[in-house]
Amino acid sequence: MTTTIQYADVEIGTELPAQEFPVTRATLVQYAGASGDFNPIHWNEKFAVEVGLPDVIAHGMFTMAEAIRVVTDWVGDPAAVVEYGVRFTKPVIVPNDDKGATIEVSGKVAAKLDDGRVRVDLVATSAGQKVLGMSRAVVQLA
Amino acid sequence: MALDQSFVGRSYPPTDPYEVGREKIREFAEAVRDTNPAYVDPEAAKALGHSDVIAPPTFVFAITFKAAGQVIEDPQLGLDYSRVVHGDQKFAYSRPVRAGDRLTVTSTIEAIKSLAGNDILDIRGEVHDEAGEHVVTAYTKLVSRAAEGA
């Protein structure tokens, strides 16, 4: 495990570089194939509306995968993430146009733990709505 | 109807091994637009101390969720999957998943709750490699929404 960030160099409140992740219908079709989750609410508008959704929504696991990139890009080695959990609070709604939706993610060090570990709290929003709750990662630093 | 509490603590037999391939990891990393070289370049992964390319942190969900199907589709439990949404997800890793891993999953029902007519099911998936070493535990919370008029 090799991280570019040193435990001694971070403080509670240290902010990680925020990122924005675009998501279109094509992204969702590709993610469905790669993940094996072919639930039609993620690609079929007619089906999504029939089950009471406003439109096609992104896979929660897609949003979770994007959010942790704020951490893995920060530390360099993705294996530094030793724990990662989220609550799916609101769906990311993905309109059928060439713009799609955007997931905005920020993170900051919320606690310094034992053995060179820190807890990073993430905030993920889309269209002004918080889409993940209790989004936390425990990261092993050098 | 509320789910049967007697299922809490029930474990299901380990799944057949899932062999993690380099190209499957690459496909997943491309799908989430993640360009970290540790996912696609064995030399870059080795420079970080890994024996082969590693998988992104959420990759293992595809394997653990398929395993959770044993629980979800257990006719005795009687979960209405058409009403199920994913509530929470958590992973606790002993080490990253890497190419060449042969992973088995053992699923256990951790908790069943009933809240405002919704059934809430907590499933723990323990993932081990071929040597029997723990790799990651996946905690999945599923919420089966109450049927209208119920």
Side-chain angles (χ1 to χ4, degrees), chain A residues 1-2 27 30-31 33-35 61-62 64-66 68-69 72 76-79 81-88, chain B residues 24 27-28 30-34 36 38-39 47-48 50 54 57-58 61-62 86-93 96:
Chain A
M1 234 263 320
T2 321
T27 318
Q30 190 178 356
Y31 183 79
S35 70
M61 289 307 301
F62 176 83
M64 187 176 184
E66 297 302 331
I68 197 61
R69 288 178 53 194
T72 55
D77 184 354
V81 176
V82 293
E83 207 177 290
Y84 177 35
V86 306
R87 175 163 295 167
F88 303 106
Chain B
K24 189 65 194 177
E27 182 189 1
F28 186 90
E30 283 176 356
V32 297
R33 311 289 191 270
D34 195 330
N36 195 312
Y39 302 141
L48 295 171
H50 308 300
I54 62 171
T58 62
F61 181 76
H86 197 178
D88 290 36
Q89 182 62 43
K90 186 177 153 184
F91 302 101
Y93 311 89

Side-chain angles (χ1 to χ4, degrees), chain B residues 53-125:
Chain B
V53 293
I54 62 171
T58 62
F59 173 87
V60 78
F61 181 76
I63 306 166
T64 58
F65 190 63
K66 197 167 173 221
Q70 286 176 297
V71 183
I72 294 163
E73 290 156 18
D74 184 339
Q76 290 183 299
L77 180 63
L79 187 71
D80 178 1
Y81 188 61
S82 71
R83 314 201 65 82
V84 165
V85 295
H86 197 178
D88 290 36
Q89 182 62 43
K90 186 177 153 184
F91 302 101
Y93 311 89
S94 291
R95 67 161 176 84
V97 169
R98 55 181 174 250
D101 273 337
R102 288 170 59 81
L103 304 175
T104 58
V105 187
T106 306
S107 300
T108 301
I109 298 179
E110 283 220 305
I112 295 173
K113 285 181 194 130
S114 194
L115 268 181
N118 299 323
D119 284 320
I120 301 165
L121 183 65
D122 287 311
I123 303 168
R124 186 180 83 241

